[in-house]
Structure formats: C-alpha cells, structure tokens
Amino acid sequence: KQEVTQIPAALSVPEGENLVLNCSFTDSAIYNLQWFRQDPGKGLTSLLLIQSSQREQTSGRLNASLDKSSGRSTLYIAASQPGDSATYLCAVGYSTLTFGKGTMLLVSP
Amino acid sequence: GAVVSQHPSWVICKSGTSVKIECRSLDFQATTMFWYRQFPKQSLMLMATSNEGSKATYEQGVEKDKFLINHASLTLSTLTVTSAHPEDSSFYICSASGLADHSYEQYFGPGTRLTVT
C-alpha cells in the first residue's frame, strides 16, 4: 500500500526566504506526482504535475522535482510571500491518488 | 484549465436525514470521478471511484449503502449521504479526470462542508 509522507508538518518563515518542502513515497510505481495548495476551508488548487517520465516542473516561483528511484519529491518556493501561506499537499498515484498529510506554511511579513 | 464545480458549497442537516452533493465537470467529459473526505487538520482520504455508467468502487471501510454514488453522465456525479449522523460531518471533495490527454490528471472541485446536527 502506498504511503506518502511530508516533512515538515509545519513551517514558518519570514517573507523573502527560499524554502523547500519534502515529500516521500514508498511505492515508486507511480504515474503522476502532484503538488497542491489548500487554503483553510477551501478546495485544492493544483500547482504542478510531474509525470513519471519527467524529473521536474516549473511554474513561476515554484519548482518541483521528482526522483522515483529514491521515492522523493521536493517543492521549491523562491522568494516566499505572505500570500503563499497555505497547506501544501503532495499526492502520488496512477489512476487514483494517495495524499500526504501536508505541510502548513506560514510566511510572515 | 479544466473546471470542476460542487453544489452545495456547504450544507447543514439534521441527524437521520439524507443529503445529496453534486459534482460537475464544466468544460470536459469526465470518464472517472473520485470522492474524497477530509477531516479537520487531516489529509484527503479517497472514499470511492466512479466510472460513468458503472457502479462505484469503494475504498475499504467506506459503507457503500451509506454513501451512495451515482455517475450517470460524463459531466455529473452525485454523492448522497444517507441517514446522516454527526460523525459524518466533514469536508467532501470531488475530483474528475478525463482520458483525452492521457495524463490521468485529476481536477478538483471546491469542496462541500457538511455539518450534521
């Protein structure tokens, strides 16, 4: 059974810092890895999707990498802003997704 | 990007009643729809997977007679919580995927907050 772990569970940084969120998974036979953002009481916003044949994806200040052999992915956020404050979820799977518990990020002005 | 809507966004119902939640793919045909439940400060847990025109596949521990799922068209799936109890209070999120681009990417709805009193 696939298990997804996200570290750290919570992170607080001052505005402007670069930061890295980590995601690890136990079964490397995945098709997709997705990073999502979830604001309190809201649904999910897809940030980046990495297919198994890819190693990284970039969107603006976000960069996600995938290393299937080690079962790890990282989400890099450059020049963090208070508006980046949210919970970030990592999910892996084929036709169904298994989610980690998320990293709660707080960026203070 | 693909848009998925849910209705209602929040609902309060009395214990013992049933409530229906709709999930719609607005600009694409969703061959598969997924229903998740999220308790406070927890991650999303998959409840069931439904393919259009077929019976839903439920995850272990999810009561299929309590959580009725219908996926009658390529743009609509419904989740009915029957005889709701306070412990069913949760945030329900649906997602949809189509095979048009072969990526299996899921597009998520905004969620429905259910409170059972």
Side-chain angles (χ1 to χ4, degrees), chain A residues 31-32 38 42-43 95 99-100, chain B residues 34 38 43 91 102-103 105 110:
Chain A
Y31 194 84
N32 288 340
Q38 185 175 31
K42 304 294 184 182
S95 57
F99 282 81
Chain B
F34 306 85
Q38 185 179 34
S43 191
F91 193 52
H102 304 286
S103 72
E105 182 170 3

Side-chain angles (χ1 to χ4, degrees), chain B residues 13-16 37-40 47 61 63 66-67 81-92 113-117:
Chain B
C13 70
K14 292 185 177 181
S15 184
R37 180 167 52 184
Q38 185 179 34
F39 292 107
M47 299 175 65
E63 300 175 60
K66 180 172 183 60
F67 299 99
V81 183
T82 62
S83 186
H85 291 285
E87 57 265 32
D88 298 324
S89 299
S90 186
F91 193 52
Y92 292 86
R113 173 77 57 192
L114 170 64
T115 301
V116 184
T117 61

Side-chain angles (χ1 to χ4, degrees), chain A:
Chain A
K1 180 182 176 182
Q2 179 74 270
E3 293 184 3
V4 180
T5 303
Q6 290 189 244
I7 296 173
L11 181 63
S12 181
V13 300
E15 181 178 7
E17 275 203 8
N18 303 324
L19 56 99
V20 174
L21 308 181
N22 298 290
C23 171
S24 62
F25 47 94
T26 55
D27 186 351
S28 63
I30 65 172
Y31 194 84
N32 288 340
L33 184 143
Q34 276 185 272
W35 283 94
F36 296 89
R37 168 187 173 136
Q38 185 175 31
D39 294 288
K42 304 294 184 182
L44 303 182
T45 300
S46 180
L47 298 174
L48 291 166
L49 166 70
I50 310 177
Q51 296 184 352
S52 62
S53 60
Q54 301 172 329
R55 293 191 63 84
E56 68 175 340
Q57 286 287 336
T58 298
S59 176
R61 294 182 293 108
L62 306 180
N63 175 275
S65 66
L66 173 62
D67 183 344
K68 285 183 59 180
S69 61
S70 66
R72 294 182 180 180
S73 175
T74 60
L75 177 66
Y76 176 81
I77 302 177
S80 59
Q81 302 171 357
D84 295 330
S85 299
T87 295
Y88 290 81
L89 296 167
C90 164
V92 301
Y94 193 79
S95 57
T96 61
L97 290 176
T98 300
F99 282 81
K101 292 185 176 182
T103 294
M104 187 180 299
L105 174 64
L106 175 63
V107 182
S108 54

